[in-house]
Amino acid sequence: MAAFTLKINGREHQIDVDPGTPLLWAIRDNVGLTGTKYGCGVAQCGACTVYVDGQTVRSCSLPVSAVGKSEVTTIEGLTSKEAVAVQKAWAAHDVPQCGYCQSGQVMSAAALLGLNPKPTDQDIDLAMNGNICRCATYVRIRAAIHSAAKSLEG
Amino acid sequence: MRVVGTGTLALLAGSLAAVAIAAYPGLRRADAAPEAVRMAAGLKPVTDFARIKNKDERAVALFEEAGKVLQSPRCMNCHPAGDRPTQTDKMLPHQPLVVRGEAGMGAPGGLACTTCHHEANFDAARVPGNPKWQLAPIEMAWQGRSLGQICAQIKDSKLNGGKTMAQLVHHMAEDELVGWGWNPGAGRTPAPGTQKQFGELIKAWADAGAACPKG
Ligand code: FES
Ligand code: FES
């Protein structure tokens, strides 16, 4: 076990874990933020997506010891204008089915719009294909991202 | 792999993973080489080639030996001829779908290599990593090419990132992303031999005039 200070959503959290603990479990079990989900544990489903210094990261694929002083953002701390637009569009399109994958979907969608304000269908597929949805909400996800992009135009 | 609590959450998590694995046969553990096969095959030392008197023949033989490394899945997977890397010893298309993008690190706004691959291998998630993790540029594509074609490509400074022969030897012998091939993390067959032996073979090939295999 070792002591780590994680900066998550602007707050510092002291935790004592094995250095090889995936960030996902530190976020969920040690910090108690359970919006970030576990789906596969092997960087294949996207349910555990967070931002590390603003960049999307699968939190199951990163050990706590590699986080250092980086700023972690989880779904609970997502406040960018893209995120707000995505959340509104998600509600308008009634995107979630069971909801399990959705925090990862929203994290990836907001990150996409931050980097590419007018994504094409192909851009969306390339950005989102690492986020698996067992309820197959893909068509609504794509439509909602287009709506969110439109709403951000002004 | 860790299981979340009990009840619905665990069921959902389980089926999410099951969907992922069913959808992508490439993810099955069976795709990895069995442990016995995964032991690194060896490389012949440079001294074994000294008896070949003809310089060009010696260079070709040395390059063919070094080619065991160049053509190993650990190297080939990130030297694709298309936009998508491959993975595993079977060189299956990378899952999830990622593309090279302008800098060989993913499409803009799409999935970047660094979304999953970090500074070091992370065996708990079976994700390989290295500080320089990225795709080789398209002009360094090796997949689908013969060893002779790869050889000609490696020597051509227009296609090898402007490297002189000395820089090329240094790159092969010292580069840390090249070196990852011998330290690929759990479940992956390392490249044959060691990076040191590989570097020596490439240097001896260059010193012998750097002739390429035919074809
Ligand atoms: S839990 Fe991290 S990608 Fe599936
Ligand atoms: S909404 Fe159920 S897994 Fe995506």
Side-chain angles (χ1 to χ4, degrees), chain B residues 78-184:
Chain B
C78 287
H79 283 261
D83 263 354
R84 185 179 191 174
T86 52
Q87 63 186 27
T88 80
D89 286 354
K90 289 188 180 157
M91 297 178 56
L92 300 165
H94 186 284
Q95 296 292 357
L97 167 65
V98 286
V99 293
R100 66 174 66 247
E102 271 173 32
M105 301 187 76
L111 265 177
C113 299
T114 49
T115 297
C116 302
H117 300 281
H118 311 298
E119 304 270 304
N121 297 329
F122 187 44
D123 291 345
R126 296 259 164 169
V127 178
N130 182 275
K132 291 177 155 181
W133 199 266
Q134 67 181 106
L135 273 192
I138 188 70
E139 59 276 14
M140 298 182 198
W142 293 350
Q143 290 189 18
R145 313 254 151 102
S146 69
L147 193 58
Q149 287 169 324
I150 292 173
C151 179
Q153 220 172 306
I154 282 177
K155 282 200 310 188
D156 185 340
S157 63
K158 288 194 289 300
L159 300 176
N160 75 7
K163 289 187 186 63
T164 63
M165 202 50 97
Q167 287 168 328
L168 188 66
V169 170
H170 185 265
H171 172 76
M172 299 295 196
E174 306 287 343
D175 183 84
E176 71 174 306
L177 185 53
V178 174
W180 173 89
W182 289 273
N183 175 29

Side-chain angles (χ1 to χ4, degrees), chain A residues 20 22 25 28-29 38-45 47 55-58 60-63 100 112 115-116 126-127 129-130 132 134, chain B residues 1-2 4 9 12-13 15-17 19-20 24 27 95-97 99 107-112 114-116 118 122 124-125 127:
Chain A
W25 298 111
R28 287 183 57 86
D29 292 355
Y38 162 76
C40 67
V42 290
Q44 289 294 323
C45 76
Q55 208 219 294
T56 52
V57 163
R58 303 294 190 246
C60 69
S61 76
L62 186 70
Y100 196 82
L112 165 65
L115 291 163
N116 182 352
L126 280 176
N129 86 87
I132 291 175
R134 71 169 298 240
Chain B
M1 202 184 290
R2 181 164 171 181
V4 187
L9 211 58
L12 280 170
S15 32
L16 199 59
V19 166
Y24 302 122
L27 296 181
Q95 296 292 357
L97 167 65
V99 293
L111 265 177
T114 49
T115 297
C116 302
H118 311 298
F122 187 44
V127 178

